[in-house]
Amino acid sequence: SLANPAPHPVDGVVVVDAPSLVGDPACQVLGDGRVAAVVSLPALAVTIADPLDLAHPPVQVSATTLDNGLLRVTLDEQGLIVSIIDVEEGREIVAPGTRANLLQLHQDLPNEYDAWDIEEFYRKQVVDLDAVDTVEVLDRGPLIGRVQVTRTFRSSSVTQVLELRAGSRRLDVVCDVDWHEHEQMLKVAFPVDVHADEVTREIQFGHLRSPIHTNTSWDAARFEVCAHRWIDVAEPGYGIALLNDCKYGHDITRTRSEGPDGEVPTTTLRLTLLRGARYPDPEQDQGRHRFTYSLLPHTGSLSQAGVVAAGYRLNCPVRVVEPLRADERSGRLVDGGASVVTSDHPGVVVETVKAADDGGGDLIVRCYEAWGGRARAQLGFGFDVADVRVVDARERPGGAASALVGNGPAVEIVVRPFQILTLRVTPR
């Protein structure tokens, strides 16, 4: 059985540890023994899904290129990204004359509070980690292409696997770092050919926008900002999102790059990966780390591009689970592979499904509006429902009763921008 823990459906290539699929002709066995397959899965569901035939151009890979017909990624001899072409738009993503996915090492000596503070003067010293040990192709498609780049620096080493999946506009970079640095900070840079003066960054239950210029002292103080699953910079009609699965520190700067027609305004996105503070823990971050970040070029706005859903899919990947026993309660929840809860509006996200704290057998469903606009959505349940009530965040009766329209196996909710709505659902 496959479990999709994300609140959005999955239709495309997934990678799972499923030995039973090794002999399936529709699947691709990866070099590490995992299996890539095309599947269609509902949101928040556990189901038995048969692999589907590939409906997109296959991925083509060499030591210097990854191409799936949507993105064409070019690497140089050091394994750095020198070009990302959006094939459909005919647009170059990487800023002219620069290289992306560049690891950079800074001296990190805060005035105090080593493990908490980052001082702006860290930028005065930077070392580009462009020396490479090996660049090798791990998988050549057709469902997924992977190129592995290994580097060593000082007392540490990093292995990066660049992954591109058929039918996907998301370029993943899976990192395995053996980190043994002190008073150093590791970042990764993506100079992109986008003229932006603000960044959109996800926070819990929503997102906000911040200027990236330094016109005032307040602006200049935002040399490092936090975000959850993604940040996004955009021009009208086109943007680039940088996703991550566990890193929250970012810096975004306005830059200028030398193009064919002279200097052009560009934007550099950087993600803070690791630090090596000595106080209060002299061994902070020392050892092995594994994490993934992704670049997602897109047309249209955040809502049109599905950036919110992409962030959830990266953080909540499809996984293999043991088949559930069909007892009375759990059998109802997963019968026929039905979702536990679904929202028919992609901007209304089902964030939480849990048992009620009082142990009475009810479910708590928490959802929120993620795009920053008013929305009307229908919530459907994969089991028979006796009652649905609005409660507050502490699961007490009350809350915005006007947000709930109707009651039964499906209810309609009306939410304001970024509103959080908590429901108590009683199964029949």
Side-chain angles (χ1 to χ4, degrees):
S1 296
L2 296 180
N4 175 20
H8 304 88
V10 171
D11 289 288
V13 178
V14 300
V15 177
V16 292
D17 187 5
S20 61
L21 297 178
V22 169
D24 194 308
C27 298
Q28 176 189 343
V29 180
L30 305 184
D32 57 12
R34 294 180 300 160
V35 177
V38 180
V39 297
S40 180
L41 301 173
L44 296 171
V46 177
T47 185
I48 298 175
D50 294 326
L52 306 175
D53 292 331
L54 180 62
H56 300 278
V59 182
Q60 299 180 8
V61 182
S62 72
T64 57
T65 60
L66 299 95
D67 189 342
N68 68 352
L70 298 175
L71 296 182
R72 184 180 304 121
V73 182
T74 304
L75 311 179
D76 64 9
E77 294 180 351
Q78 284 74 43
L80 296 170
I81 299 172
V82 293
S83 174
I84 303 175
I85 300 293
D86 184 330
V87 177
E88 291 183 332
E89 296 297 314
R91 176 169 179 152
E92 173 63 65
I93 304 303
V94 179
T98 66
R99 299 185 293 179
N101 194 36
L102 174 63
L103 294 172
Q104 296 181 308
L105 196 65
H106 294 269
Q107 190 174 51
D108 185 25
L109 295 169
N111 293 327
E112 56 182 338
Y113 305 119
D114 287 12
W116 290 270
D117 287 358
I118 295 177
E119 305 287 354
E120 187 178 16
F121 55 71
Y122 82 85
R123 296 180 174 182
K124 295 181 179 180
Q125 293 188 4
V126 58
V127 177
D128 291 344
L129 304 178
D130 54 3
V132 67
D133 297 337
T134 61
V135 178
E136 59 181 317
V137 176
L138 296 183
D139 299 288
R140 298 183 180 274
L143 301 185
I144 184 170
R146 302 197 303 158
V147 175
Q148 178 176 279
V149 181
T150 58
R151 309 180 193 278
T152 55
F153 57 94
R154 294 168 60 103
S155 301
S156 304
S157 63
V158 56
T159 299
Q160 294 184 311
V161 179
L162 284 71
E163 297 186 354
L164 189 61
R165 304 185 185 191
S168 174
R169 297 175 61 88
R170 196 183 86 191
L171 173 66
D172 295 341
V173 183
V174 182
C175 301
D176 192 339
V177 184
D178 191 11
W179 176 254
H180 298 284
E181 308 303 322
H182 290 93
E183 297 176 338
Q184 300 289 317
M185 178 164 50
L186 183 66
K187 284 179 169 277
V188 63
F190 285 90
V192 295
D193 193 3
V194 170
H195 184 193
D197 57 10
E198 67 177 12
V199 59
T200 304
R201 47 196 177 101
E202 191 196 41
I203 60 175
Q204 188 177 27
F205 300 117
H207 62 263
L208 52 81
R209 293 181 174 88
S210 304
I212 60 176
H213 53 67
T214 55
N215 291 350
T216 70
S217 60
W218 289 13
D219 299 330
R222 282 188 286 262
F223 59 86
E224 182 90 1
V225 296
C226 62
H228 279 191
R229 301 175 185 90
W230 52 265
I231 61 172
D232 187 89
V233 291
E235 300 170 348
Y238 197 89
I240 298 173
L242 178 60
L243 318 173
N244 78 89
D245 69 350
C246 63
K247 303 297 178 182
Y248 306 109
H250 303 75
D251 70 88
I252 307 95
T253 53
R254 304 171 80 177
T255 48
R256 299 191 68 85
S257 300
E258 189 66 36
D261 301 321
E263 279 193 344
V264 294
T266 55
T267 305
T268 298
L269 312 176
R270 296 205 306 166
L271 184 64
T272 303
L273 303 179
L274 293 166
R275 299 180 67 200
R278 290 189 180 275
Y279 177 82
D281 179 6
E283 297 302 311
Q284 175 193 314
D285 281 359
Q286 303 299 299
R288 297 292 294 273
H289 300 262
R290 185 176 176 87
F291 49 85
T292 300
Y293 51 83
S294 309
L295 202 68
L296 177 67
H298 61 84
T299 57
S301 64
L302 287 172
S303 58
Q304 296 167 329
V307 174
V308 173
Y312 272 99
R313 290 190 185 107
L314 178 63
N315 282 265
C316 306
V318 172
R319 63 196 67 179
V320 176
V321 296
E322 291 294 327
L324 299 180
R325 290 179 299 179
D327 57 42
E328 182 179 355
R329 176 59 57 83
S330 65
R332 285 178 177 172
L333 294 180
V334 299
D335 184 30
S339 300
V340 179
V341 185
T342 59
S343 165
D344 70 350
H345 192 301
V348 177
V349 178
V350 179
E351 169 67 23
T352 303
V353 180
K354 60 179 287 291
D357 285 348
D358 60 13
D362 291 350
L363 288 182
I364 300 297
V365 175
R366 183 168 293 119
C367 55
Y368 73 100
E369 197 289 318
W371 292 353
R374 297 172 187 262
R376 183 182 297 268
Q378 187 174 74
L379 299 183
F381 303 96
F383 52 96
D384 294 332
V385 174
D387 187 38
V388 180
R389 303 181 302 281
V390 177
V391 295
D392 64 15
R394 295 174 63 184
E395 304 179 16
R396 301 174 303 184
S402 61
L404 184 63
V405 180
N407 200 332
V411 298
E412 187 176 88
I413 59 173
V414 181
V415 289
R416 301 173 64 87
F418 299 130
Q419 182 181 350
I420 304 168
L421 183 65
T422 305
L423 304 176
R424 185 181 182 113
V425 183
T426 302
R428 191 176 299 278

